[in-house]
Amino acid sequence: MIRWLLLIPLALLIAAGASTLFLFVASVVDPVMGSLTGDTLLVGFWVFVDGVFSSEDPGPMIAEAAFAVARVAFLLLFFPPLLVAVVSEAVRARGVLWYTLAVGVLTAAIPWVLRGSARVASPAELHVSAVLGLTGAVAGLVYWAIAGRDAGGARPAPNPPLPGGTAP
């Protein structure tokens, strides 16, 4: 019970924090991610500022912008490890490779699923997907290190030998 109430939520929060840190570092170090992040933040910031100053009551606009940022952060950084953790607990999957690959692939696939159009991807889009996949892999690895090794609770103990030295 303690596992479900404390360990798993704490592991998910730490995994989301680790993936956030990785994505931030990737956005600073990687030129493609830096350009995408910088352009997105710059354009988004000025559109937001223009909207706030042209509105009589900017409260709803600020709330909607904060909600939109929270949705994107949840979808990219928290949802993939959460989904993999729930599935892993249900099927008692405990492998580090499972957590790393499952969260990584799911995180990399989210923009493609949301986009919904069938067209050939540009090299920059594939690069961003690779960075998102690595971001998810970091989250999966951190979650596994904290809570995934014991997924599904304790395994049943083998039957003890019967008196007299014969096994059942």
Side-chain angles (χ1 to χ4, degrees):
M1 186 63 147
I2 295 290
R3 174 178 174 72
W4 282 95
L5 293 176
L6 294 176
L7 183 62
I8 291 175
L10 180 65
L12 286 170
L13 286 174
I14 293 172
S19 63
T20 302
L21 179 63
F22 180 85
L23 189 59
F24 174 75
V25 169
S27 296
V28 170
V29 173
D30 183 29
V32 174
M33 286 299 292
S35 174
L36 172 71
T37 306
D39 292 346
T40 302
L41 290 176
L42 185 66
V43 169
F45 174 76
W46 287 115
V47 167
F48 176 70
V49 167
D50 286 344
V52 166
F53 285 123
S54 67
S55 174
E56 288 184 26
D57 182 19
M61 181 179 291
I62 293 171
E64 183 60 33
F67 185 65
V69 168
R71 260 192 321 233
V72 169
F74 174 80
L75 198 58
L76 288 176
L77 302 171
F78 195 76
F79 177 70
L82 174 66
L83 182 63
V84 171
V86 168
V87 169
S88 300
E89 289 292 325
V91 299
R92 295 183 179 206
R94 295 182 173 157
V96 66
L97 197 59
W98 157 253
Y99 281 96
T100 305
L101 288 177
V103 178
V105 167
L106 185 59
T107 305
I110 285 175
W112 299 97
V113 171
L114 293 178
R115 183 175 66 177
S117 66
R119 65 174 176 80
V120 177
S122 71
E125 289 174 324
L126 293 175
H127 186 89
V128 169
S129 287
V131 171
L132 287 175
L134 288 173
T135 301
V138 166
L141 181 64
V142 169
Y143 179 82
W144 173 83
I146 296 170
R149 291 179 289 179
D150 301 323
R155 291 189 180 181
N159 292 335
L162 295 176
T166 60

